[in-house]
Amino acid sequence: MTANLKRTMRPTRLRIFCSLFFIVAVVALLGPISCSRAIGQRSGESTSEDGHGNRVDLLRASGPTPSPLPCPGCWNPSTASENFDWLTPPALPPDWLATNALGPPPLWVTSDSGRPMPPADTAPNALFIDDPAVASDKRLDGWFLDFFEDCCVRLTFRHNFNLEASDVDSNLGFDGGVLEISTDGGNTFEDILSAGGSFVMGGYNRTIATDRGSPIAGRQAWSGNSNGYITTVVNVPTIQKQGRLRWRMASDTSGGNEGWRVDSLYMTWCVGMGTPCPSPTPSPTATPTPTPPPRASCPQYTITEGAGTIVPGSTDTGNHCVWCSTLITLPFPFVLYNQAFNAVNVTSSGRLAFVCDNEPDGYRERCLPASPYNCGYDFTIFALWYEWGTLTYPEGCSTWANGCGIFTSISGTAPNRVFNIEWHVIDRKDSIQTGNFEVRLYENDPNQRFDVVYGHSQKKPFTPPVAGVQGPPEFFTQDFCNVPAPQNSSLIYQLEPCATPTPTPTPTATATPRATPRQRPIPHPRPLPP
């Protein structure tokens, strides 16, 4: 019945959302929300306009026009999350199922103590399974999935594992964990990669040995020691029928280790096919969409005043455009929110996107945390997010000898180099207005430092820009939003150190029952059909 209704309504949706797309291309309403520097500041979105509420592209004659977004687009961007903190260990969410296809108890449980340390990504609870010294196959069937006529499903989760692996071969594992998916309602499962998924970051790191009796012998898996919680981001394959996710840990016939913990699940998807289309704001005072509150302050970036100045970039990245990005290779691995990266997308709109390229989205700047567009804004540095252009337009670009663009250079010597990424930009709506700013990435800095340096900018007060950094779901530090950008100043971003957890004397997954927690609805990415 649901499927037939969707098919019947599709032409109507098409007319409605194409009409909305046409309207928003002509008129956009401005809803500025002023705020100052804050950690964990929640605010709404803003759009860029000229003084009369119309978008006027004065650069159109000097370069290619960005392709229009498809319509209909994502008329309902959706999210689901689960951190298991509302449960009393060892209970699982009511619709989750733990089984041991092979091997002794325990089953998967929720846990607030024990090893591997720390017990949880968000205190107090996380999922936990042991790693026994005998052959086992321990499975946890989690979220049901129902994405009929939806798209762009992305799953993020945090996990901490210490599973038996080879000490001499860094590519070989003995016990391991995998992520599997069912596309037939949970009857059969296959590896997320075999089903057509892909890892954006934090993918499998070893291959399981074939001569020790493991139920997942020969497969890629997570194995060895993650040394604390790491982030995995995976593109979930298209599911047009009811599906389900499964976390599976398998051990071999001898040897074991501490186990595997999984926490902080976060899923985004688009209800409706295609990438999102802009939608008109109902009024200048519209209430922003609620966002989840920031988690505890660890790990979190702090911002302090610096004394640095712009180091001129000498290498042209080739970025000369509007609403576009260019992938560049970093001269050294740079660590952001405890994740190492070897490349980054530099965008004409003043962002460094380490995971997902959201362009063309330069005209949709919004206060942090920025909600997903084509995908999430996880692991993004917002140097000066605004509708900038890097096209070579003579009026403004003559400010610099090498014109407009994004340029790089390297300061210092290994292992303490600094990679400088400098923007020479002009206002997309008025090419006389210019901007000059830079991000400096530090090699091997213990506090994962980066700087944002602002030079002199000439910009009319249309929609003021946004600056800060956003990491895994719910982690962000906003410097400013919808207030004028600083002039000739330098800011230092550093990751706050996390407190060292106190080891628990009894490494067990079972805890003393707490008081009955508050009731909470069962989380589903989509309500299941009756």
Side-chain angles (χ1 to χ4, degrees), residues 53 97 130 168 171-172 178 218-219 237 240 254 268 352 365 442 483 487 513:
L97 177 64
D130 67 326
V168 296
N171 297 315
L172 183 65
V178 294
R219 288 178 56 175
Q240 296 301 329
S254 64
T268 61
L352 293 181
E365 58 271 13
Y442 285 74
V483 296
Q487 301 282 316

Side-chain angles (χ1 to χ4, degrees), residues 9-206:
M9 293 176 63
R10 182 180 293 175
T12 302
R13 287 179 175 175
L14 179 63
R15 291 191 295 270
I16 291 173
F17 288 96
C18 285
S19 299
L20 289 177
F21 178 70
F22 176 78
I23 292 171
V24 76
V26 180
V27 179
L29 298 175
L30 177 62
I33 302 174
S34 297
C35 54
S36 59
R37 182 177 304 165
I39 294 178
Q41 176 71 39
R42 286 183 292 164
S43 300
E45 298 184 356
S46 63
T47 56
S48 298
E49 306 169 352
D50 65 11
H52 304 286
N54 298 315
R55 295 187 176 279
V56 183
D57 191 349
L58 299 181
L59 301 181
R60 182 172 299 166
S62 62
T65 301
S67 301
L69 294 174
C71 187
C74 179
W75 50 79
N76 185 15
S78 300
T79 63
S81 62
E82 176 61 86
N83 60 14
F84 312 102
D85 295 336
W86 57 283
L87 295 161
T88 299
L92 296 170
D95 57 341
W96 290 50
L97 177 64
T99 57
N100 281 2
L102 175 67
L107 304 172
W108 280 87
V109 294
T110 55
S111 166
D112 61 2
S113 62
R115 300 179 182 274
M117 295 289 287
D121 180 50
T122 60
N125 299 335
L127 299 170
F128 172 76
I129 191 61
D130 67 326
D131 179 11
V134 297
S136 69
D137 189 351
K138 305 194 174 193
R139 305 171 179 183
L140 178 64
D141 296 352
W143 269 339
F144 282 97
L145 307 177
D146 180 13
F147 297 115
F148 181 72
E149 293 189 351
D150 300 344
C151 77
C152 314
V153 184
R154 173 165 287 186
L155 170 68
T156 299
F157 64 94
R158 301 267 290 164
H159 56 144
N160 177 12
F161 53 87
N162 191 3
L163 304 172
E164 187 195 14
S166 172
D167 293 331
V168 296
D169 186 349
S170 60
N171 297 315
L172 183 65
F174 300 138
D175 303 342
V178 294
L179 178 64
E180 298 183 334
I181 192 169
S182 170
T183 58
D184 58 5
N187 294 317
T188 60
F189 286 83
E190 61 181 323
D191 192 89
I192 193 76
L193 298 180
S194 300
S198 61
F199 288 111
V200 178
M201 64 181 299
Y204 299 142
N205 64 331
R206 297 198 182 209

